[in-house]
Amino acid sequence: MRPWPWRVWLRCVIDDALLRRQALLRIRGHSVAWVAPLLLLVLITLVDYNTSEKFRIISWIVLVPGIAAAICGVWTTAAFAVVSVVTYIVMDSTYPDEYQAGLPDFILVALGGVLATLACAIRVRGQERMLHMRDIAETTRRTVLRPLPPRWAGLEHAAVYLSADTEARVGGDFYDIQSSPHGTRVLVGDVQGKGLGAVEAAAALLGTFREAGYHEPDLATVAARLEIRMLRHRRHTTALGRDDGDRFATAVLIGIPGDGSDTVDIVNFGHEPPLAVGPDGVRPLPPGGGLPLGMGDLAENSAPPPLTRFPLARAETLLMTTDGVTEARDGNGVYYALDDEVARAVAADPRAAAPRRLVRLVRDGVLRHSGGHLGDDTTIFAIRRLEEGAEEGGLGS
């Protein structure tokens, strides 16, 4: 296998670099960022003191507040700026008059300290803004894509969400598991478009799914409720005068009966069909051929796609992805061969069919194949029935 290219590595590093840097500069909860500029101050002073007048480097002390500005707080940087000026005056005065640098270097050190303090204030303000935006994005992500217990509603599951926007944490992809008195329901989908409008549509669909998926005994009724919700959302955005009134969403709605039968019910709203992955290989489920959510009024009878029942062994995992996976291309424009890569991995090691391993496998494969350049938000979601007696959690919220 080819190693991850440097772009992928850089993307992963930049994402949390500032937060990790702050953690590295703390010991037992106390900041030690001041140590580096202090050592530089001491080093410059000692070298200047122990060399002749022909090797004057005391003016290099202007570097001290500059280093502090990059890693310390505003008040610490200001303190180093003052200490640097005082140290410069003391050290320069120890030389005879003809070797003193005097006013020009004093202005350099003083001005450097002022500029370093201002730069530090700008850096800290930007960093605080970035952390605030990350908190907002993380809250949005948890609202739309709520955390799920590792074993939930009789299912073992795993999920990975990769945003095409390196600064975003959530987009138009969505997934959820809803337990109910009528079995377990699963929804995976992708809202057309990007931005906050796509997030709004995803949140609307998930809210409807969580209510209808719990209360409605018939999966076809849940599908109809989702279609109606998308149409209502479109009418609302149109009434607001927004230009995304024609938005739609592809989705796969899955019903797992609670009677222990080895079957699943699927309603496919124009989405990529799931893959059944087990120790015996990979089995693509037939496409449903239905229209995406929000486009049901284009059908002759305006009815949602038909419900189809498929066999699914207890050892098989259902793998669902959004088009960020199927449309991932390499530098030559070749699409990612999901089925082939999964089949090879399962043939080499049947344990690769486990949800967590399967999701990691597809994630790594997509990133390698695309060189880290994702053309669309990417969701990889896998579910498998738990063994008898292994369930943790009951009827969900």
Side-chain angles (χ1 to χ4, degrees):
M1 293 184 179
R2 293 177 297 167
W4 285 15
W6 66 270
R7 295 182 185 87
V8 182
W9 174 84
L10 185 61
R11 177 178 179 175
C12 296
V13 170
I14 290 176
D15 190 44
D16 293 316
L18 290 176
L19 295 178
R20 292 183 178 180
R21 182 180 66 182
Q22 294 300 317
L24 290 174
L25 295 176
R26 303 185 73 86
I27 296 179
R28 295 182 179 179
H30 300 285
S31 175
V32 293
W34 53 269
V35 173
L38 179 62
L39 291 177
L40 181 62
L41 174 68
V42 173
L43 178 63
I44 292 174
T45 303
L46 290 176
V47 171
D48 187 79
Y49 183 78
N50 290 283
T51 54
S52 66
E53 61 275 359
K54 295 181 180 180
F55 189 72
R56 296 294 313 278
I57 66 167
I58 190 60
S59 59
W60 291 13
I61 209 168
V62 72
L63 298 174
V64 172
I67 296 297
I71 59 177
C72 298
V74 176
W75 289 108
T76 303
T77 301
F80 274 112
V82 173
V83 171
S84 296
V85 170
V86 172
T87 303
Y88 171 81
I89 294 174
V90 172
M91 293 301 299
D92 193 52
S93 63
T94 60
Y95 282 87
D97 292 344
E98 63 270 22
Y99 296 114
Q100 292 182 6
L103 185 61
D105 282 5
F106 171 80
I107 295 176
L108 173 65
V109 174
L111 183 60
V114 172
L115 293 178
T117 304
L118 291 176
C120 182
I122 295 173
R123 176 186 66 82
V124 170
R125 183 177 180 181
Q127 185 172 314
E128 290 175 348
R129 179 179 176 82
M130 182 205 71
L131 293 175
H132 180 62
M133 294 302 294
R134 283 180 62 115
D135 289 341
I136 293 175
E138 182 65 17
T139 301
T140 303
R141 187 188 72 83
R142 287 182 171 271
T143 302
V144 177
L145 302 178
R146 61 177 180 175
L148 295 171
R151 296 181 172 185
W152 183 241
L155 299 177
E156 176 188 3
H157 67 88
V160 166
Y161 174 81
L162 301 173
S163 174
D165 182 357
T166 57
E167 296 182 357
R169 291 284 172 177
V170 68
D173 289 5
F174 56 91
Y175 58 86
D176 201 5
I177 299 174
Q178 180 62 57
S179 62
S180 79
H182 319 290
T184 300
R185 277 73 189 268
V186 179
L187 181 67
V188 178
D190 180 9
V191 176
Q192 173 262 338
K194 298 180 181 180
L196 291 178
V199 177
E200 284 184 51
L205 290 172
L206 285 173
T208 297
F209 167 72
R210 289 162 186 164
E211 289 303 311
Y214 180 86
H215 292 287
E216 298 294 344
D218 187 3
L219 191 69
T221 305
V222 179
R225 292 274 300 274
L226 289 171
E227 175 65 25
I228 293 171
R229 185 67 183 94
M230 192 65 194
L231 292 174
R232 289 174 54 206
H233 180 77
R234 288 175 55 178
R235 286 196 293 268
H236 179 256
T237 54
T238 300
L240 291 175
R242 287 164 40 178
D243 58 359
D244 58 349
D246 58 348
R247 195 181 296 276
F248 60 87
T250 64
V252 175
L253 175 64
I254 299 172
I256 301 175
D259 56 7
S261 61
D262 290 341
T263 60
V264 292
D265 297 327
I266 296 180
V267 180
N268 193 322
F269 294 92
H271 199 78
E272 290 289 333
L275 292 180
V277 183
D280 297 329
V282 177
R283 178 168 53 92
L285 300 185
L291 292 174
L293 289 165
M295 301 181 68
D297 52 353
L298 300 179
E300 293 183 1
N301 55 4
S302 299
L307 183 149
T308 308
R309 179 161 293 181
F310 297 100
L312 183 72
R314 187 166 292 272
E316 287 186 306
T317 297
L318 268 187
L319 173 65
M320 293 150 284
T321 64
T322 57
D323 53 11
V325 173
T326 55
E327 296 180 3
R329 291 184 287 182
D330 62 11
N332 298 320
V334 178
Y335 288 100
Y336 176 65
L338 173 63
D339 297 21
D340 295 340
E341 178 151 338
V342 172
R344 284 194 298 268
V346 173
D349 183 4
R351 294 177 300 176
R356 289 184 181 275
R357 294 192 180 193
L358 191 57
V359 164
R360 285 198 300 266
L361 167 73
V362 178
R363 177 200 63 190
D364 295 348
V366 168
L367 289 176
R368 278 196 306 270
H369 186 80
S370 64
H373 296 288
L374 299 175
D376 198 357
D377 293 341
T378 300
T379 294
I380 308 161
F381 192 64
I383 60 172
R384 184 172 66 180
R385 289 188 180 94
L386 287 171
E387 296 296 332
E388 293 294 336
E391 180 178 351
E392 296 179 6
L395 296 182
S397 59

